[in-house]
Amino acid sequence: MSQLQVSIENGQILVISINRPDKMNALNIALIAELGEVLAKYDDDNAIRGVILTGVGTKAFAAGADIAEFAHFTADEGENLSHRGHVIFKVIEHYPKPIIAAVNGFALGGGCELAMVCHLRVATANAKFGQPEVNLGIIPGYGGTQRLVQLIGKGRALELLMTADMITAEQALSFGLVNHVVRDHADLLPKCTEIINKIAKKAPLAIAKIIDSVNAHFAHNRDGFAAEIQHFADCFLTEDFKEGTTAFIEKRSATFVGK
Ligand code: COA
């Protein structure tokens, strides 16, 4: 049975909701695999201009990897769990359309890592963030030791990772872990939709190149500046570049087609 709810809003936003509310939307192996499959299905669909990833209910975005599932794992099984998660998280990180984590409650452990791998994060005021793995005798296995440092800096990241402290949405906002905080749950998806609608008015190929150029900064085997130069040059080959510059000169709004 599907553990994700999937819908398309306004014909252009893919909304994926983690649907295990009775288990605080804990992430099991099948659910992560399903997430990868859903994203793969839409990655070259030109109609889809962005993705919102959220959790069903008002309590949890995802309270971590499913502890019951891995409690008896061997080291090999643990490595496999982490490795497979990393593969799908990389799909999210490199997705050519913006993915926003709409954090509707607890984002702990793998849930915090899942929010962090999305391109942007919007949280409700009741959301809580943390990496409590050390309480279980383990460390984050879905990129938390790396992406938390990227987002909030080494000192703050080490403190959260070693103390297992939870932080509020407001603290997460002041740390730069989230982009926006909304007061009520009812405002969460509208705020994410507003952001995607704004991005959807821009040239889609340029948006994909922004995502890749920024990711290149964090890839040890790539030169981010070189990636930017190449992507910048490639923009000049696109119809959208001609449309954007022509529209500016003609003092009208551009209509981009993603070519
Ligand atoms: N894996 C598996 N099950 C989980 C889970 C997880 N990460 N997080 C919550 N659940 C389950 C609970 O076992 C419980 O199931 P049950 O009703 O069958 O007993 C259900 O979700 C509700 O959780 P509960 O702990 O009763 O809710 P709470 O409101 O008292 O506490 C949390 C909420 C999020 C603080 C608490 O569930 C928690 O600490 N979860 C684990 C967080 C964690 O360590 N994550 C990192 C995992 S690597």
Side-chain angles (χ1 to χ4, degrees):
M1 202 182 91
S2 174
Q3 301 184 84
L4 299 176
Q5 282 180 1
V6 180
S7 64
I8 294 173
E9 304 298 328
N10 305 327
Q12 65 173 11
I13 302 178
L14 178 65
V15 180
I16 305 173
S17 305
I18 301 164
N19 189 18
R20 297 187 76 203
D22 55 327
K23 294 291 178 190
M24 294 279 164
N25 292 327
L27 308 168
N28 59 32
I29 293 168
L31 189 155
I32 296 276
E34 196 185 337
L35 179 57
E37 285 162 21
V38 172
L39 289 170
K41 188 171 162 193
Y42 292 97
D43 66 352
D44 62 356
D45 183 334
N46 285 339
I48 299 298
R49 307 301 293 275
V51 182
I52 299 173
L53 179 59
T54 192
V56 168
T58 55
K59 282 192 177 162
F61 172 72
D66 190 327
I67 299 168
E69 187 175 58
F70 69 68
H72 303 291
F73 272 11
T74 63
D76 281 348
E77 288 169 323
E79 182 178 348
N80 192 256
L81 174 77
S82 177
H83 184 73
R84 290 205 293 189
H86 273 270
V87 169
I88 289 168
F89 276 42
K90 281 238 185 306
V91 169
I92 300 172
E93 188 162 52
H94 295 279
Y95 209 62
K97 309 167 194 291
I99 302 186
I100 304 183
V103 182
N104 55 309
F106 288 109
L108 303 176
C112 186
E113 292 168 295
L114 183 59
M116 288 194 292
V117 78
C118 293
H119 303 127
L120 306 176
R121 283 150 292 284
V122 179
T124 48
N126 74 322
K128 295 232 166 51
F129 296 80
Q131 295 290 160
E133 286 86 350
V134 290
N135 289 334
L136 304 169
I138 56 173
I139 71 166
Y142 288 159
T145 62
Q146 307 302 299
R147 295 194 181 96
L148 194 58
V149 177
Q150 291 169 4
L151 285 166
I152 70 172
K154 184 176 175 183
R156 283 169 170 160
L158 276 170
E159 184 174 345
L160 287 187
L161 291 162
M162 294 195 293
T163 62
D165 279 351
M166 279 188 220
I167 58 170
T168 63
E170 279 305 322
Q171 283 172 298
L173 184 65
S174 74
F175 284 6
L177 182 56
V178 300
N179 297 70
H180 302 276
V181 176
V182 296
R183 198 179 326 164
D184 298 316
H185 187 257
D187 300 326
L188 184 60
L189 294 197
K191 179 67 189 173
C192 297
T193 301
E194 176 194 318
I195 297 169
I196 292 180
N197 284 344
K198 205 182 273 186
I199 298 172
K201 294 202 176 76
K202 319 299 178 199
L205 295 175
I207 296 300
K209 291 176 198 309
I210 293 275
I211 292 169
D212 188 66
S213 299
V214 172
N215 283 338
H217 172 78
F218 298 102
H220 296 301
N221 57 351
R222 297 181 68 193
D223 175 344
F225 289 104
E228 181 185 278
I229 292 166
Q230 189 58 58
H231 281 316
F232 180 75
D234 288 346
C235 288
F236 287 74
L237 298 168
T238 66
E239 284 178 30
D240 284 346
F241 159 69
K242 287 188 185 63
E243 165 65 6
T245 48
T246 306
F248 177 82
I249 289 163
E250 293 176 354
K251 299 191 187 302
R252 61 172 173 82
S253 311
T255 305
F256 295 115
V257 294
K259 288 183 188 157

